[in-house]
Amino acid sequence: MSKKSLVFLLIPFLLFSAAFSASADKKEERLWEDEIVYSLMVDRFNNGDNSNDEGVDLSDPANKFQGGDFRGIIQKLDYLKDMGFTTIMLSPVFKNEENGFHGEWVNDFYETDPHFGTIDELRELVNEAHNKDMKIMFEFVTTHVGQNHPWTKDPSKKDWFKTEAMDSDNKWLNGLPQLDLNNREVQRYLIDAAKWWIGETGVDGFSLSGIDQAPIEFWADFSAAVKEQNDHFYLTGTASGGTEDLKKYQEAGIAGVVDSAMTKPLRDSYSIIDVSSKSLMDVWEKNSAVYPDPQSLGALFDDRNSTRYTKDMVDKKQYPGARWKLALFYLYTQPEVPVVFYGTEIAVNGDLPPDNVPVMNFRADEELMEFIGRIGMIRQEQKALSRGDMELLYEKDGMLVFKREYEGETVVAAINNTTKDQTVVIPSEKIENDKELRGLFASDLVKSENGKYKIVVDREMMEVYKLADKAGYNVPFIFSIFAVFIVFGLFMYFAWKRGKKRNPYEQS
């Protein structure tokens, strides 16, 4: 075959390669609202390095370290990625006082706790996560220090503290020395430390607790400083007051404020069957009217300061597996950033700390893990689920249907938290006429007929649909396929004829 003929054959492949390359170059920047967060307690997740186990006592989980470390997290990155998590949130990593396994008794803001590993190992964790297209955040303590922090014994630092100690129901926090976050020296120290950690480790974000304990001007300065280090740095935060209006913190740069007002409705709506979801819709309606970026709020069921959500289900004599699936399905299809606490994938039960933070058992519930992975993939692929608005289409006694839209794409979620199969008829004008809803989870298909969409969902089941044109024969596509074969056949024929003429030994 001649060189010209070979080039002719390669043209389609070269064009395809160029198109693919251009597409890769246009890969969209991942925003905070695109993340799916796995929050874990470093000491309780996985022990990957026995050399740093000094002080570990497995017989006393209420008071002693249990051995979890950075190396253990590195070893489980694929485990987390396979479940669809894109960001890992670590409990505080700073050097703590003796038995400060939870990270709250900070002794040095510029060192990692030796039980967790070295700063080099933390840097390695960040790099390994980045290689897997995952991000690492950790909780940055700003409101308090440990009882024996060197500052507490330094007379020159007396005005760095409030006169009263912390008052908390959490025994890890109660009585700790409180930093005075109105003090400019304290503010500068914390901002400098935050910038140092970003520069040293490449970490992607911080979670800030007790953001309502500091003046809003401090958070604006803190946010500006860390984003000078990294334009795309993530800042999330929780307010100890819980119900305070959080809008000002978003405006100050803490985009991912945890929506504490959402937690109780989330837990109440899916810990038992045949319960209305109206409270969830009410929270979203309020949030969308108040916050500049409601999709950036963080939504969660539980954390290390609360009872585990599984306890609600068990207390109500419900089967946790089915309950968790419905609850997680809503969490992944609603607008706010899903934050999942470690052990959810095995339905960990537990009362208040430390019962709620056991050492992770990786003999996991494969069915629930697979479920989390599937819905995680759907949320990642459908930008309408992470960035879109939300419109209620139907709600009654646990049967919920809502619509998510973003840049011309429409997704519809249907969740049947009832004891009966449910049929919901949605007028086409609420979605779009003469289209079809293609199931992304259970492969259901609902076509618009007579101006209506008839959605049928079995009891305690769910589906998320992508709105699309009705399927039919794609005549232009079919024609183009035949055209390609015809052109290729003609090309091969003429190539054969030319080769035959050049071969004096071939007989006709």
Side-chain angles (χ1 to χ4, degrees):
M1 186 178 295
S2 70
K3 290 183 179 179
K4 289 183 178 180
S5 299
L6 183 61
V7 169
F8 182 78
L9 267 180
L10 289 174
I11 285 174
F13 298 99
L14 293 172
L15 290 174
F16 175 78
S17 176
F20 181 82
S21 176
S23 175
D25 290 342
K26 293 180 181 179
K27 185 177 180 181
E28 192 171 5
E29 181 70 34
R30 209 164 80 203
L31 306 178
W32 166 245
E33 51 262 45
D34 298 325
E35 303 299 330
I36 304 172
V37 182
Y38 187 90
S39 174
L40 61 84
M41 200 167 190
V42 177
D43 178 60
R44 302 301 162 98
F45 188 62
N46 187 43
N47 188 348
D49 182 2
N50 293 327
S51 69
N52 55 32
D53 283 358
E54 183 178 353
V56 168
D57 185 353
L58 299 180
S59 68
D60 189 9
N63 301 297
K64 304 289 186 179
F65 281 91
Q66 300 296 290
D69 48 36
F70 302 140
R71 181 66 54 196
I73 300 170
I74 291 171
Q75 293 171 357
K76 294 295 182 180
L77 286 176
D78 285 335
Y79 165 85
L80 297 173
K81 185 174 179 61
D82 288 346
M83 283 190 290
F85 294 105
T86 62
T87 291
I88 305 169
M89 177 88 72
L90 312 181
S91 56
V93 302
F94 305 131
K95 183 179 180 181
N96 262 237
E97 294 177 6
E98 185 178 3
N99 298 325
F101 62 87
H102 37 67
E104 299 288 2
W105 300 345
V106 179
N107 187 260
D108 191 325
F109 281 97
Y110 280 88
E111 286 189 43
T112 58
D113 193 278
H115 292 88
F116 302 154
T118 66
I119 194 165
D120 288 336
E121 288 173 312
L122 177 57
R123 187 183 300 115
E124 182 183 351
L125 168 58
V126 173
N127 290 337
E128 288 296 320
H130 289 174
N131 290 338
K132 298 179 185 298
D133 199 24
M134 303 172 77
K135 299 182 185 296
I136 298 290
M137 303 177 67
F138 64 76
E139 296 181 48
F140 195 101
V141 178
T142 60
T143 55
H144 58 273
V145 295
Q147 292 282 9
N148 301 304
H149 191 287
W151 296 344
T152 64
K153 301 175 180 64
D154 184 348
S156 68
K157 300 287 194 297
K158 183 178 179 180
D159 60 350
W160 282 36
F161 294 95
K162 294 182 178 181
T163 55
E164 68 278 6
M166 290 196 75
D167 181 16
S168 174
D169 293 334
N170 188 331
K171 70 174 187 177
W172 299 335
L173 301 175
N174 193 46
L176 292 180
Q178 286 196 90
L179 292 172
D180 183 356
L181 294 176
N182 287 290
N183 184 303
R184 290 296 297 169
E185 288 183 301
V186 174
Q187 292 181 4
R188 282 194 293 270
Y189 183 94
L190 293 172
I191 288 173
D192 287 345
K195 292 167 64 177
W196 184 86
W197 281 98
I198 298 170
E200 287 294 315
T201 68
V203 68
D204 302 288
F206 296 140
S207 175
L208 308 161
S209 59
I211 56 176
D212 51 337
Q213 304 302 305
I216 196 66
E217 295 78 15
F218 168 59
W219 294 127
D221 292 344
F222 190 99
S223 173
V226 298
K227 289 176 183 177
E228 281 181 6
Q229 299 284 104
N230 178 352
D231 285 345
H232 303 293
F233 198 77
Y234 295 158
L235 284 179
T236 71
T238 57
S240 56
T243 57
E244 183 180 341
D245 178 14
L246 305 175
K247 177 182 177 181
K248 61 184 178 182
Y249 300 109
Q250 277 202 330
E251 292 174 339
I254 305 175
V257 179
V258 172
D259 185 8
S260 54
M262 173 74 85
T263 300
K264 188 177 187 304
L266 270 175
R267 292 177 69 131
D268 290 347
S269 294
Y270 292 104
S271 58
I272 197 168
I273 202 164
D274 291 321
V275 173
S276 172
S277 304
K278 185 177 184 303
S279 59
L280 291 172
M281 298 300 104
D282 290 344
V283 170
W284 172 248
E285 186 176 342
K286 172 184 176 294
N287 289 348
S288 58
V290 171
Y291 297 112
D293 298 302
Q295 288 87 349
S296 294
L297 296 171
L300 50 80
F301 292 103
D302 52 18
D303 59 22
R304 71 172 188 267
N305 298 311
S306 68
T307 61
R308 298 304 295 246
Y309 184 36
T310 301
K311 187 175 186 299
D312 292 6
M313 305 167 187
V314 173
D315 287 349
K316 295 172 182 177
K317 296 180 171 53
Q318 299 290 308
Y319 174 60
R323 299 288 88 218
W324 262 119
K325 286 181 181 180
L326 290 164
L328 286 165
F329 195 86
Y330 178 78
L331 184 70
Y332 276 62
T333 53
Q334 56 82 46
E336 299 181 8
V337 176
V339 181
V340 178
F341 195 41
Y342 87 101
T344 292
E345 67 270 34
I346 55 173
V348 162
N349 194 359
D351 209 326
L352 292 173
D355 293 343
N356 62 343
V357 286
V359 174
M360 180 64 185
N361 180 351
F362 290 97
R363 293 194 296 273
D365 183 332
E366 294 291 338
E367 184 178 345
L368 189 53
M369 281 180 57
E370 181 183 349
F371 178 88
I372 291 171
R374 287 180 65 194
I375 58 176
M377 182 179 295
I378 291 170
R379 184 174 177 96
Q380 287 184 54
E381 291 176 347
Q382 305 300 323
K383 292 301 181 190
L385 290 179
S386 58
R387 302 185 187 183
D389 57 12
M390 183 180 192
E391 180 185 341
L392 177 64
L393 299 178
Y394 180 90
E395 192 283 319
K396 185 178 179 182
D397 300 332
M399 181 62 203
L400 176 65
V401 183
F402 55 88
K403 179 175 68 171
R404 307 287 312 282
E405 289 185 312
Y406 177 73
E407 293 188 347
E409 293 190 357
T410 300
V411 171
V412 174
I415 305 174
N416 182 4
N417 183 32
T418 78
T419 51
K420 298 179 180 179
D421 297 349
Q422 297 287 339
T423 299
V424 177
V425 178
I426 307 294
S428 294
E429 60 264 24
K430 287 192 173 184
I431 302 176
E432 191 173 342
N433 195 28
D434 202 28
K435 298 276 189 176
E436 65 184 24
L437 297 172
R438 298 177 185 173
L440 303 176
F441 182 75
S443 302
D444 192 14
L445 179 65
V446 180
K447 294 191 176 187
S448 170
E449 295 180 355
N450 301 319
K452 299 174 183 177
Y453 290 92
K454 185 178 179 181
I455 296 173
V456 181
V457 184
D458 294 343
R459 56 169 291 176
E460 295 187 87
M461 291 299 293
M462 66 294 287
E463 179 62 286
V464 57
Y465 303 91
K466 179 73 173 284
L467 185 69
D469 292 329
K470 284 186 176 179
Y473 293 111
N474 191 333
V475 176
F477 177 75
I478 294 172
F479 178 78
S480 65
I481 293 295
F482 276 109
V484 167
F485 278 110
I486 291 170
V487 170
F488 182 74
L490 290 172
F491 167 78
M492 293 301 294
Y493 172 75
F494 287 117
W496 172 75
K497 290 285 287 183
R498 177 176 296 181
K500 184 177 178 181
K501 288 180 180 179
R502 292 179 178 176
N503 187 351
Y505 298 102
E506 185 171 346
Q507 298 299 319
S508 55

